Amino acid sequence: MGIFLGRILPTTFPTRLGKLLFWVGVPISIFAFLRQTDLSGQIWIAPAIAHIAILLGAFLAWLGIRGQVYWRNSSLHNSTQGSLMLAAMVGNTGYLGYPITLTMVGKEYFAWALFYDLLGTLIGVYGLGVLLASRFGGKAGNYLQTAKAIIFNPPLWSFGFGLILRPMPIPSVVELTLETLAWCALAASLILMGMRVSQLDSWYKLKPAGISIVIKMLFVPLLLGNCLPLFGVTGEAAQVIVLQMSMPPAFGTLILAETFDLDRDLAVTTLGMGLMVLLFTLPMWLWLF
């Protein structure tokens, strides 16, 4: 539906929908589902695993870049190296990760997805991601803007208020309304993904994009997914972590590519390819784990 709407609606509509979801839709979803999720167990290990996955993705991408230099006696441009590493590191664990984990696993384990995204991916994008982007990019970054991106983040604030207000009872009618709005927002986020895919216009860097996709959506989930029992994470909690690890590259990678003069065409290609590959890898992960 999103791909269809993206071709008939004005090009400004996805941007407006994205802002509405960022400021209103996703925070409502986080607040509503956080009231129904289980916070017991080793839930704080989720962001730790997220950081391990981010570092592993960056390391494997670095190995791939070094391998290209060794075997082919050719090196990629710095801007291309930066985009390739970013795409291999961080996934779309919010707009895609939330609805997928909620649908496949359920609301009881939604907090694992939240902790993975807000305390893992978010910091990975605007922490290590910014450092790498400024290292490989053609211009220095504005670290004040980076700090604002983390501090003035509605989903993160909603997460905090949801934790604080979770024990407080609210009328059932209000709770039902919040849950309905939350599901509508998550459906809208999937439509938004489709609309953005319909607007992608750069597909000629499939080969380097494939390297990032294989690392991000195959190697990292497979390697760490099999190690989860060592961290004491099993069952449905492990399913949530594997699903979050296997999400396609985050749209934040495109934002960093545009901000720091990285390879925008490669960033766009990895986004589109990742969303399409997900249709095939998602059943595989559900079957394996």
Side-chain angles (χ1 to χ4, degrees):
M1 185 187 296
I3 291 173
F4 171 74
L5 292 175
R7 297 184 182 278
I8 62 173
L9 292 177
T11 55
T12 56
F13 186 84
T15 301
R16 292 174 181 173
L17 178 59
K19 289 181 179 179
L20 179 65
L21 286 172
F22 180 73
W23 290 101
V24 181
V26 173
I28 287 177
S29 298
I30 291 172
F31 185 86
F33 290 126
L34 196 54
R35 297 185 61 83
Q36 304 172 39
T37 191
D38 183 11
L39 295 181
S40 62
Q42 297 175 293
I43 195 169
W44 287 98
I45 205 170
I49 296 173
H51 293 303
I52 293 173
I54 289 168
L55 292 173
L56 178 60
F59 175 69
L60 291 176
W62 178 81
L63 284 182
I65 293 168
R66 297 281 75 80
Q68 166 108 359
V69 174
Y70 181 79
W71 293 106
R72 300 192 176 182
N73 293 321
S74 63
S75 60
L76 299 172
H77 192 274
N78 274 353
S79 62
T80 300
Q81 292 183 39
S83 289
L84 193 153
M85 292 187 71
L86 287 175
M89 286 167 45
V90 288
N92 196 329
T93 52
Y95 289 113
L96 274 177
Y98 291 168
I100 287 175
T101 53
L102 278 166
T103 305
M104 300 299 173
V105 184
K107 292 178 281 190
E108 294 80 6
Y109 289 87
F110 182 56
W112 287 81
L114 275 178
F115 277 60
Y116 190 103
D117 176 55
L118 295 176
L119 301 181
T121 301
L122 180 66
I123 295 172
V125 172
Y126 293 107
L128 179 60
V130 167
L131 291 175
L132 282 174
S134 61
R135 160 69 177 80
F136 289 101
K139 56 183 178 181
N142 187 331
Y143 293 98
L144 180 60
Q145 289 182 345
T146 301
K148 286 181 179 179
I150 296 177
I151 297 170
F152 298 104
N153 187 290
L156 199 57
W157 283 94
S158 175
F159 176 65
F161 282 119
L163 286 176
I164 294 170
L165 302 178
R166 190 169 181 268
M168 295 178 58
I170 60 176
S172 57
V173 118
V174 175
E175 190 142 14
L176 179 61
T177 302
L178 282 173
E179 186 173 356
T180 303
L181 290 173
W183 280 110
C184 289
L186 292 180
S189 71
L190 292 176
I191 291 173
L192 176 63
M193 292 299 101
M195 295 180 75
R196 284 177 166 168
V197 168
S198 71
Q199 294 180 346
L200 297 180
D201 56 0
S202 177
W203 295 92
Y204 71 93
K205 291 205 170 182
L206 291 176
K207 194 170 183 180
I211 297 173
S212 293
I213 295 300
V214 167
I215 292 171
K216 175 68 191 68
M217 301 180 68
L218 290 176
F219 283 174
V220 171
L222 189 61
L223 291 172
L224 289 185
N226 284 295
C227 294
L228 289 179
L230 300 177
F231 296 95
V233 181
T234 58
E236 292 177 311
Q239 290 177 12
V240 173
I241 296 297
V242 170
L243 288 174
Q244 289 289 66
M245 281 193 292
S246 63
M247 287 298 107
F251 272 88
T253 60
L254 178 57
I255 295 172
L256 292 181
E258 292 176 337
T259 302
F260 292 92
D261 261 354
L262 298 179
D263 192 332
R264 181 189 179 278
D265 290 337
L266 177 57
V268 169
T269 305
T270 55
L271 295 183
M273 182 186 290
L275 289 168
M276 293 179 181
V277 169
L278 181 66
L279 297 175
F280 301 96
T281 57
L282 182 57
M284 182 185 72
W285 298 124
L286 291 172
W287 175 67
L288 284 174
F289 293 92

